[in-house]
Amino acid sequence: MGRESQGFAALPASQRSLAGAIGVLHRWARTTSEQRTAALGPANEGRRRRLEQQADPEGVLSPEDLAAAVDRLRRAHMRKAALASAKARAARKRAA
């Protein structure tokens, strides 16, 4: 029994990631923007609630201040991810 008969789980991590990305692109290619919004709605709502809780655990901020704080936390998260990605690229370049 070869690796090809063991399915997706038998792939190396890098190939699983690519295969997953291909599947996601095919899924979104067959959906409308309304369907994408509906599919992602629960995840987006959960992320917003988590960031609101981080920004204002006591619930004392005004809606405007809370929205601004959530936006800053979201932008900080994206920049942290970009920094981690840059560090990983640099490490791979050093290792090559």
Coordinates of all heavy atoms in Angstrom, one line a residue:
M1 N 0.8 -1.2 0.0 CA 0.0 0.0 0.0 C 0.9 1.2 0.0 O 1.6 1.5 0.9 CB -0.9 0.0 1.2 CG -2.0 1.0 1.2 SD -2.8 1.3 2.7 CE -4.1 0.1 2.7
G2 N 0.9 2.0 -1.1 CA 1.7 3.2 -1.2 C 1.1 4.4 -0.6 O -0.1 4.4 -0.1
R3 N 1.9 5.5 -0.5 CA 1.4 6.7 0.1 C 0.2 7.3 -0.6 O -0.7 7.9 0.0 CB 2.5 7.8 0.1 CG 3.6 7.6 1.1 CD 4.6 8.7 0.9 NE 4.0 9.9 1.5 CZ 4.5 10.5 2.6 NH1 5.5 10.0 3.2 NH2 4.0 11.6 3.0
E4 N 0.1 7.1 -2.0 CA -1.0 7.6 -2.7 C -2.3 7.0 -2.3 O -3.4 7.7 -2.4 CB -0.8 7.5 -4.2 CG -0.7 6.0 -4.7 CD 0.7 5.4 -4.5 OE1 1.7 6.1 -4.2 OE2 0.8 4.2 -4.7
S5 N -2.3 5.8 -1.8 CA -3.6 5.2 -1.4 C -4.0 5.6 0.1 O -5.1 5.3 0.5 CB -3.5 3.7 -1.5 OG -2.5 3.2 -0.5
Q6 N -3.1 6.3 0.8 CA -3.4 6.7 2.1 C -4.1 8.1 2.2 O -4.5 8.5 3.3 CB -2.1 6.7 3.0 CG -1.5 5.3 3.1 CD -0.2 5.4 3.8 OE1 0.3 6.4 4.3 NE2 0.5 4.2 3.9
G7 N -4.2 8.7 1.1 CA -5.0 10.0 1.1 C -4.3 11.2 1.5 O -3.0 11.2 1.6
F8 N -5.0 12.2 1.8 CA -4.6 13.6 2.2 C -3.6 13.5 3.3 O -2.6 14.2 3.4 CB -5.8 14.4 2.4 CG -5.5 15.9 2.6 CD1 -5.3 16.7 1.5 CD2 -5.5 16.5 3.8 CE1 -5.1 18.0 1.6 CE2 -5.3 17.8 4.0 CZ -5.1 18.6 2.9
A9 N -3.9 12.8 4.4 CA -3.1 12.7 5.6 C -1.7 12.2 5.3 O -0.8 12.5 6.1 CB -3.8 11.9 6.6
A10 N -1.5 11.5 4.3 CA -0.2 10.9 4.0 C 0.7 11.9 3.3 O 1.9 11.7 3.2 CB -0.3 9.7 3.1
L11 N 0.2 13.0 2.9 CA 1.0 14.1 2.2 C 1.9 14.8 3.2 O 1.5 15.0 4.4 CB 0.1 15.1 1.5 CG -0.7 14.6 0.3 CD1 -1.6 15.8 -0.1 CD2 0.2 14.2 -0.8
P12 N 3.1 15.2 2.8 CA 3.9 16.1 3.7 C 3.2 17.4 4.0 O 2.3 17.8 3.2 CB 5.2 16.4 2.8 CG 5.2 15.4 1.7 CD 3.7 14.9 1.5
A13 N 3.5 18.0 5.0 CA 2.8 19.2 5.5 C 2.7 20.3 4.4 O 1.7 20.9 4.2 CB 3.4 19.8 6.7
S14 N 3.8 20.5 3.7 CA 3.8 21.5 2.6 C 2.8 21.2 1.5 O 2.1 22.1 1.0 CB 5.2 21.7 2.0 OG 5.6 20.5 1.4
Q15 N 2.7 19.9 1.2 CA 1.8 19.5 0.1 C 0.3 19.6 0.6 O -0.6 19.9 -0.1 CB 2.1 18.2 -0.4 CG 3.4 18.2 -1.2 CD 3.8 16.8 -1.7 OE1 3.0 15.8 -1.6 NE2 5.0 16.7 -2.3
R16 N 0.1 19.2 1.9 CA -1.2 19.3 2.5 C -1.7 20.8 2.4 O -2.9 21.1 2.1 CB -1.3 18.8 3.9 CG -1.3 17.3 4.0 CD -1.7 16.9 5.4 NE -1.0 17.5 6.5 CZ 0.2 17.0 7.0 NH1 0.7 15.9 6.5 NH2 0.8 17.7 8.0
S17 N -0.8 21.7 2.8 CA -1.2 23.1 2.8 C -1.6 23.5 1.4 O -2.6 24.2 1.2 CB 0.0 23.9 3.3 OG -0.3 25.3 3.2
L18 N -0.8 23.2 0.4 CA -1.1 23.5 -1.0 C -2.4 22.9 -1.5 O -3.2 23.5 -2.1 CB 0.0 23.1 -1.9 CG 1.3 24.0 -1.9 CD1 2.4 23.4 -2.7 CD2 0.9 25.4 -2.4
A19 N -2.6 21.6 -1.1 CA -3.8 20.9 -1.5 C -5.1 21.6 -0.9 O -6.1 21.8 -1.5 CB -3.8 19.4 -1.1
G20 N -4.9 22.0 0.4 CA -6.0 22.7 1.1 C -6.3 24.0 0.4 O -7.5 24.4 0.3
A21 N -5.3 24.7 0.1 CA -5.4 26.0 -0.6 C -6.2 25.9 -1.9 O -7.0 26.7 -2.3 CB -4.1 26.7 -0.8
I22 N -5.8 24.8 -2.7 CA -6.5 24.6 -3.9 C -8.0 24.3 -3.7 O -8.8 24.8 -4.4 CB -5.8 23.4 -4.7 CG1 -4.4 23.8 -5.1 CG2 -6.7 22.9 -5.8 CD1 -3.5 22.7 -5.6
G23 N -8.3 23.5 -2.7 CA -9.7 23.2 -2.4 C -10.4 24.4 -2.0 O -11.6 24.6 -2.4
V24 N -9.8 25.3 -1.2 CA -10.5 26.5 -0.8 C -10.8 27.4 -2.0 O -11.9 28.0 -2.2 CB -9.7 27.3 0.2 CG1 -10.1 28.7 0.4 CG2 -9.7 26.5 1.6
L25 N -9.8 27.6 -2.9 CA -10.0 28.4 -4.1 C -11.1 27.8 -5.0 O -11.9 28.6 -5.5 CB -8.7 28.5 -4.9 CG -7.6 29.4 -4.2 CD1 -6.3 29.2 -4.9 CD2 -8.1 30.8 -4.1
H26 N -11.2 26.5 -5.1 CA -12.3 25.9 -5.9 C -13.6 26.2 -5.2 O -14.6 26.5 -5.9 CB -12.0 24.4 -6.1 CG -11.1 24.1 -7.2 ND1 -11.5 24.0 -8.5 CD2 -9.8 23.8 -7.2 CE1 -10.5 23.7 -9.3 NE2 -9.4 23.6 -8.5
R27 N -13.7 26.1 -3.9 CA -15.0 26.3 -3.2 C -15.4 27.7 -3.4 O -16.6 28.0 -3.8 CB -14.8 26.0 -1.7 CG -16.1 26.4 -1.0 CD -16.1 26.4 0.5 NE -17.4 26.7 1.0 CZ -17.6 27.0 2.2 NH1 -16.7 27.1 3.1 NH2 -18.8 27.3 2.6
W28 N -14.5 28.7 -3.2 CA -14.9 30.1 -3.3 C -15.2 30.5 -4.7 O -16.0 31.4 -5.0 CB -13.9 31.0 -2.7 CG -13.8 30.9 -1.2 CD1 -12.6 30.8 -0.5 CD2 -14.8 30.9 -0.2 NE1 -12.9 30.7 0.8 CE2 -14.2 30.7 1.0 CE3 -16.2 30.9 -0.3 CZ2 -15.0 30.7 2.2 CZ3 -16.9 30.8 0.9 CH2 -16.3 30.7 2.1
A29 N -14.6 29.8 -5.7 CA -14.9 30.1 -7.1 C -16.4 29.7 -7.5 O -16.9 30.3 -8.4 CB -14.0 29.3 -8.0
R30 N -17.0 28.8 -6.7 CA -18.3 28.4 -7.0 C -19.4 29.1 -6.1 O -20.5 28.6 -6.1 CB -18.5 26.9 -6.8 CG -17.6 26.0 -7.8 CD -17.9 24.5 -7.6 NE -17.8 24.1 -6.2 CZ -16.7 23.5 -5.7 NH1 -15.6 23.5 -6.4 NH2 -16.7 23.1 -4.4
T31 N -19.0 30.1 -5.4 CA -19.9 30.8 -4.5 C -20.1 32.3 -4.9 O -19.2 32.9 -5.5 CB -19.5 30.7 -3.1 OG1 -18.2 31.3 -2.9 CG2 -19.4 29.3 -2.6
T32 N -21.2 32.9 -4.6 CA -21.4 34.3 -4.7 C -20.9 35.0 -3.5 O -20.6 34.5 -2.5 CB -22.9 34.6 -4.9 OG1 -23.6 34.3 -3.6 CG2 -23.5 33.8 -6.0
S33 N -20.8 36.3 -3.7 CA -20.3 37.1 -2.5 C -21.2 37.0 -1.4 O -20.8 37.0 -0.2 CB -20.1 38.6 -2.9 OG -21.3 39.2 -3.3
E34 N -22.5 36.9 -1.6 CA -23.5 36.7 -0.5 C -23.3 35.4 0.2 O -23.4 35.3 1.4 CB -24.9 36.8 -1.0 CG -25.3 38.2 -1.5 CD -24.9 38.4 -3.0 OE1 -24.5 37.5 -3.7 OE2 -24.9 39.6 -3.4
Q35 N -23.0 34.3 -0.6 CA -22.7 33.0 0.0 C -21.5 33.1 0.9 O -21.4 32.5 1.9 CB -22.7 31.9 -1.0 CG -24.0 31.6 -1.7 CD -23.8 30.8 -2.9 OE1 -22.9 30.9 -3.7 NE2 -24.8 29.9 -3.1
R36 N -20.4 33.7 0.3 CA -19.2 33.9 1.1 C -19.4 34.6 2.4 O -18.9 34.2 3.5 CB -18.1 34.5 0.3 CG -17.5 33.6 -0.8 CD -16.3 34.2 -1.5 NE -16.6 35.4 -2.3 CZ -17.1 35.4 -3.5 NH1 -17.3 34.3 -4.1 NH2 -17.3 36.5 -4.1
T37 N -20.1 35.7 2.3 CA -20.4 36.5 3.5 C -21.2 35.6 4.5 O -20.9 35.6 5.7 CB -21.2 37.7 3.2 OG1 -20.5 38.5 2.3 CG2 -21.6 38.5 4.4
A38 N -22.2 34.9 4.1 CA -22.9 34.0 5.0 C -22.1 32.9 5.6 O -22.2 32.6 6.8 CB -24.1 33.4 4.3
A39 N -21.2 32.3 4.8 CA -20.3 31.3 5.3 C -19.3 31.8 6.3 O -19.0 31.1 7.3 CB -19.6 30.6 4.1
L40 N -18.8 33.0 6.1 CA -17.8 33.5 7.0 C -18.4 34.3 8.2 O -17.7 34.7 9.1 CB -16.8 34.4 6.2 CG -16.0 33.7 5.2 CD1 -15.2 34.7 4.3 CD2 -15.1 32.7 5.8
G41 N -19.7 34.6 8.1 CA -20.3 35.4 9.2 C -20.1 35.0 10.6 O -19.6 35.8 11.4
P42 N -20.3 33.7 10.9 CA -20.1 33.2 12.3 C -18.6 33.4 12.7 O -18.4 33.8 13.9 CB -20.5 31.8 12.2 CG -21.4 31.7 11.1 CD -20.9 32.6 10.1
A43 N -17.7 33.1 11.8 CA -16.3 33.3 12.2 C -15.9 34.8 12.4 O -15.2 35.1 13.4 CB -15.4 32.7 11.1
N44 N -16.4 35.6 11.6 CA -16.1 37.0 11.7 C -16.8 37.6 13.0 O -16.2 38.4 13.7 CB -16.6 37.8 10.5 CG -15.8 37.5 9.3 OD1 -14.6 37.2 9.4 ND2 -16.4 37.7 8.1
E45 N -18.0 37.1 13.3 CA -18.7 37.6 14.5 C -17.9 37.1 15.8 O -17.7 37.9 16.7 CB -20.1 37.1 14.5 CG -20.9 37.4 15.8 CD -21.1 38.9 15.9 OE1 -21.0 39.7 14.9 OE2 -21.4 39.4 17.0
G46 N -17.5 35.9 15.8 CA -16.7 35.4 16.9 C -15.4 36.1 17.1 O -15.0 36.5 18.2
R47 N -14.7 36.4 16.0 CA -13.4 37.2 16.0 C -13.7 38.6 16.6 O -13.0 39.1 17.5 CB -12.8 37.3 14.7 CG -11.5 37.9 14.6 CD -10.8 37.9 13.3 NE -10.8 36.6 12.6 CZ -11.6 36.3 11.6 NH1 -12.4 37.2 11.1 NH2 -11.5 35.1 11.1
R48 N -14.8 39.2 16.1 CA -15.1 40.6 16.6 C -15.4 40.5 18.1 O -14.9 41.4 18.9 CB -16.3 41.1 15.8 CG -16.6 42.6 16.2 CD -18.0 43.0 15.7 NE -19.1 42.2 16.0 CZ -19.7 42.2 17.2 NH1 -19.3 43.0 18.2 NH2 -20.7 41.4 17.5
R49 N -16.2 39.6 18.6 CA -16.5 39.5 20.0 C -15.2 39.2 20.8 O -15.1 39.8 21.9 CB -17.5 38.3 20.2 CG -18.9 38.7 20.0 CD -19.9 37.7 20.5 NE -19.6 36.4 20.2 CZ -20.2 35.6 19.2 NH1 -21.2 36.1 18.6 NH2 -19.8 34.4 19.0
R50 N -14.3 38.4 20.3 CA -13.1 38.1 21.1 C -12.3 39.4 21.2 O -11.7 39.7 22.3 CB -12.3 37.0 20.4 CG -11.0 36.7 21.1 CD -10.2 35.5 20.4 NE -10.1 35.7 19.0 CZ -9.1 36.4 18.4 NH1 -8.3 37.1 19.1 NH2 -9.0 36.5 17.1
L51 N -12.2 40.1 20.1 CA -11.4 41.4 20.1 C -12.0 42.4 21.0 O -11.4 43.1 21.7 CB -11.2 41.9 18.7 CG -10.2 41.1 17.8 CD1 -10.2 41.6 16.4 CD2 -8.8 41.0 18.4
E52 N -13.4 42.5 21.0 CA -14.1 43.4 21.9 C -13.8 43.1 23.4 O -13.6 43.9 24.2 CB -15.6 43.4 21.6 CG -16.0 44.1 20.4 CD -17.5 44.0 20.1 OE1 -18.2 43.2 20.8 OE2 -17.9 44.7 19.2
Q53 N -13.8 41.8 23.7 CA -13.5 41.3 25.1 C -12.1 41.7 25.5 O -11.8 42.1 26.6 CB -13.8 39.8 25.2 CG -13.5 39.3 26.6 CD -14.4 39.9 27.7 OE1 -15.5 40.3 27.4 NE2 -13.9 40.1 28.9
Q54 N -11.1 41.5 24.5 CA -9.7 41.9 24.8 C -9.6 43.4 25.0 O -8.9 43.9 25.9 CB -8.8 41.5 23.6 CG -8.4 40.1 23.6 CD -7.5 39.8 22.4 OE1 -7.8 40.1 21.3 NE2 -6.4 39.2 22.7
A55 N -10.3 44.2 24.2 CA -10.2 45.6 24.2 C -10.8 46.2 25.4 O -10.4 47.3 26.0 CB -10.7 46.2 22.9
D56 N -11.9 45.6 25.9 CA -12.7 46.2 26.9 C -13.4 45.2 27.8 O -14.6 44.9 27.8 CB -13.8 47.1 26.3 CG -14.6 47.9 27.3 OD1 -14.1 48.1 28.4 OD2 -15.7 48.3 27.0
P57 N -12.5 44.5 28.6 CA -13.1 43.4 29.5 C -14.1 43.9 30.5 O -15.0 43.1 30.8 CB -11.8 42.8 30.2 CG -10.7 43.8 29.9 CD -11.1 44.7 28.8
E58 N -14.1 45.1 30.9 CA -15.0 45.6 31.9 C -16.3 46.2 31.2 O -17.3 46.5 31.9 CB -14.4 46.7 32.8 CG -13.4 46.2 33.7 CD -12.0 46.1 33.1 OE1 -11.7 47.0 32.2 OE2 -11.2 45.2 33.4
G59 N -16.3 46.4 29.9 CA -17.4 46.9 29.2 C -17.7 48.3 29.4 O -18.9 48.7 29.5
V60 N -16.7 49.2 29.6 CA -16.9 50.6 29.9 C -16.7 51.5 28.7 O -17.0 52.7 28.8 CB -16.0 51.0 31.1 CG1 -16.3 50.2 32.3 CG2 -14.5 50.8 30.7
L61 N -16.1 51.1 27.6 CA -15.8 51.9 26.5 C -17.1 52.3 25.7 O -18.0 51.5 25.7 CB -14.8 51.3 25.5 CG -13.4 51.1 26.0 CD1 -12.6 50.4 25.0 CD2 -12.8 52.4 26.4
S62 N -17.1 53.5 25.2 CA -18.3 53.8 24.3 C -18.2 53.0 23.0 O -17.1 52.5 22.7 CB -18.2 55.3 23.9 OG -17.1 55.5 23.0
P63 N -19.3 52.8 22.3 CA -19.2 52.1 21.0 C -18.2 52.6 20.1 O -17.5 51.8 19.4 CB -20.6 52.2 20.5 CG -21.5 52.5 21.6 CD -20.6 53.3 22.6
E64 N -18.0 53.9 20.0 CA -17.0 54.4 19.1 C -15.6 54.1 19.5 O -14.7 53.7 18.7 CB -17.1 55.9 18.9 CG -18.4 56.4 18.4 CD -19.6 56.4 19.4 OE1 -19.3 56.4 20.6 OE2 -20.7 56.4 18.9
D65 N -15.3 54.2 20.8 CA -14.0 53.9 21.3 C -13.7 52.4 21.2 O -12.6 52.0 20.9 CB -13.8 54.3 22.8 CG -13.7 55.8 22.9 OD1 -13.4 56.5 21.9 OD2 -14.0 56.3 24.0
L66 N -14.7 51.6 21.5 CA -14.6 50.1 21.4 C -14.3 49.7 19.9 O -13.4 48.9 19.7 CB -15.8 49.4 21.8 CG -15.8 47.9 21.8 CD1 -14.7 47.3 22.6 CD2 -17.1 47.3 22.2
A67 N -15.0 50.3 19.0 CA -14.7 50.0 17.6 C -13.3 50.4 17.2 O -12.6 49.6 16.5 CB -15.7 50.7 16.7
A68 N -12.8 51.5 17.6 CA -11.5 52.0 17.3 C -10.4 51.0 18.0 O -9.4 50.7 17.3 CB -11.2 53.4 17.8
A69 N -10.7 50.6 19.2 CA -9.8 49.7 19.9 C -9.7 48.3 19.2 O -8.7 47.8 19.0 CB -10.2 49.5 21.3
V70 N -10.9 47.9 18.8 CA -10.9 46.6 18.0 C -10.2 46.7 16.7 O -9.4 45.8 16.4 CB -12.4 46.2 17.8 CG1 -12.5 45.1 16.8 CG2 -13.0 45.7 19.1
D71 N -10.3 47.8 16.0 CA -9.6 48.0 14.8 C -8.1 48.0 15.0 O -7.3 47.4 14.3 CB -10.0 49.3 14.1 CG -9.3 49.5 12.8 OD1 -9.5 48.6 11.9 OD2 -8.6 50.5 12.6
R72 N -7.6 48.6 16.1 CA -6.2 48.6 16.4 C -5.7 47.2 16.8 O -4.6 46.8 16.3 CB -5.9 49.6 17.5 CG -6.0 51.1 17.1 CD -5.5 52.0 18.2 NE -6.3 52.0 19.4 CZ -7.4 52.8 19.6 NH1 -7.8 53.6 18.6 NH2 -8.0 52.7 20.7
L73 N -6.5 46.5 17.5 CA -6.1 45.1 17.8 C -6.0 44.2 16.6 O -5.1 43.4 16.4 CB -7.1 44.5 18.8 CG -6.9 45.0 20.3 CD1 -8.1 44.4 21.1 CD2 -5.6 44.5 20.8
R74 N -7.0 44.4 15.7 CA -7.0 43.6 14.4 C -5.8 44.0 13.6 O -5.1 43.1 13.1 CB -8.3 43.9 13.6 CG -8.4 43.1 12.4 CD -9.6 43.6 11.5 NE -9.5 45.0 11.2 CZ -8.6 45.5 10.2 NH1 -7.9 44.7 9.5 NH2 -8.6 46.8 10.0
R75 N -5.4 45.3 13.5 CA -4.3 45.7 12.7 C -3.0 45.2 13.4 O -2.0 44.8 12.7 CB -4.2 47.2 12.6 CG -5.4 47.7 11.6 CD -5.4 49.1 11.3 NE -4.4 49.9 11.9 CZ -4.6 51.2 12.4 NH1 -5.8 51.7 12.4 NH2 -3.6 51.9 13.0
A76 N -2.9 45.2 14.7 CA -1.7 44.7 15.4 C -1.6 43.2 15.2 O -0.5 42.7 14.9 CB -1.9 45.0 16.9
H77 N -2.7 42.5 15.2 CA -2.6 41.0 14.9 C -2.1 40.8 13.5 O -1.2 39.9 13.3 CB -4.0 40.4 15.0 CG -4.1 39.0 14.5 ND1 -3.6 38.0 15.3 CD2 -4.6 38.5 13.4 CE1 -3.8 36.8 14.6 NE2 -4.4 37.2 13.4
M78 N -2.5 41.5 12.5 CA -2.0 41.4 11.1 C -0.6 41.7 11.0 O 0.2 41.0 10.3 CB -2.8 42.2 10.1 CG -4.3 41.8 10.0 SD -4.4 40.1 9.4 CE -6.2 39.9 9.4
R79 N -0.1 42.7 11.7 CA 1.3 43.1 11.6 C 2.2 42.0 12.3 O 3.3 41.7 11.9 CB 1.5 44.5 12.2 CG 1.0 45.5 11.2 CD 1.2 46.9 11.7 NE 0.6 47.8 10.7 CZ 0.5 49.1 10.8 NH1 1.1 49.7 11.9 NH2 -0.1 49.8 9.9
K80 N 1.6 41.5 13.4 CA 2.4 40.4 14.1 C 2.5 39.2 13.2 O 3.6 38.6 13.1 CB 1.6 40.0 15.4 CG 2.3 39.0 16.3 CD 1.5 38.7 17.5 CE 2.2 37.7 18.4 NZ 1.4 37.3 19.6
A81 N 1.5 38.9 12.5 CA 1.5 37.7 11.5 C 2.5 38.1 10.4 O 3.3 37.2 10.0 CB 0.2 37.5 10.9
A82 N 2.6 39.3 9.9 CA 3.5 39.7 8.9 C 4.9 39.6 9.4 O 5.8 39.1 8.7 CB 3.2 41.1 8.4
L83 N 5.2 40.0 10.6 CA 6.5 39.9 11.2 C 6.9 38.4 11.4 O 8.1 38.1 11.0 CB 6.5 40.6 12.6 CG 7.8 40.5 13.4 CD1 9.0 41.1 12.6 CD2 7.7 41.1 14.7
A84 N 6.0 37.6 11.8 CA 6.4 36.2 11.9 C 6.7 35.6 10.6 O 7.6 34.8 10.4 CB 5.2 35.4 12.6
S85 N 5.9 36.0 9.6 CA 6.2 35.5 8.2 C 7.5 36.0 7.7 O 8.3 35.2 7.1 CB 5.1 36.0 7.3 OG 5.3 35.6 5.9
A86 N 7.9 37.2 7.9 CA 9.2 37.7 7.5 C 10.3 37.0 8.2 O 11.3 36.7 7.6 CB 9.3 39.2 7.8
K87 N 10.2 36.7 9.5 CA 11.2 36.0 10.2 C 11.3 34.6 9.7 O 12.5 34.1 9.5 CB 10.8 35.9 11.7 CG 11.1 37.2 12.4 CD 10.7 37.1 13.9 CE 10.9 38.4 14.7 NZ 10.6 38.2 16.1
A88 N 10.2 33.9 9.4 CA 10.3 32.6 8.8 C 11.0 32.6 7.4 O 11.8 31.7 7.1 CB 8.9 32.0 8.7
R89 N 10.7 33.6 6.6 CA 11.3 33.6 5.3 C 12.8 33.8 5.4 O 13.6 33.2 4.8 CB 10.7 34.8 4.5 CG 9.4 34.5 3.8 CD 9.0 35.5 2.8 NE 9.0 36.9 3.3 CZ 8.0 37.5 4.0 NH1 6.9 36.8 4.3 NH2 8.2 38.7 4.4
A90 N 13.2 34.7 6.4 CA 14.6 35.0 6.6 C 15.3 33.7 7.1 O 16.4 33.4 6.7 CB 14.8 36.1 7.6
A91 N 14.7 33.0 8.0 CA 15.3 31.7 8.5 C 15.4 30.7 7.4 O 16.5 30.0 7.3 CB 14.4 31.2 9.6
R92 N 14.4 30.6 6.5 CA 14.6 29.7 5.4 C 15.7 30.1 4.5 O 16.4 29.2 3.9 CB 13.2 29.6 4.6 CG 12.2 28.7 5.3 CD 11.0 28.4 4.4 NE 10.4 29.6 3.9 CZ 9.4 30.2 4.4 NH1 8.9 29.9 5.6 NH2 8.8 31.3 3.8
K93 N 15.8 31.4 4.3 CA 16.9 31.9 3.4 C 18.2 31.6 4.0 O 19.2 31.2 3.2 CB 16.7 33.4 3.1 CG 17.6 34.0 2.1 CD 17.3 35.4 1.8 CE 18.2 36.0 0.8 NZ 17.9 37.4 0.5
R94 N 18.4 31.8 5.3 CA 19.7 31.5 5.9 C 20.0 30.0 5.9 O 21.2 29.6 5.7 CB 19.6 31.9 7.4 CG 19.8 33.4 7.6 CD 20.1 33.7 9.1 NE 19.0 33.2 9.9 CZ 17.9 33.9 10.3 NH1 17.7 35.1 9.7 NH2 17.0 33.4 11.1
A95 N 19.0 29.2 6.0 CA 19.2 27.7 6.0 C 19.5 27.2 4.6 O 20.1 26.1 4.4 CB 17.9 27.0 6.5
A96 N 19.1 27.9 3.5 CA 19.3 27.4 2.2 C 20.8 27.6 1.7 O 21.6 28.2 2.2 CB 18.4 28.2 1.2

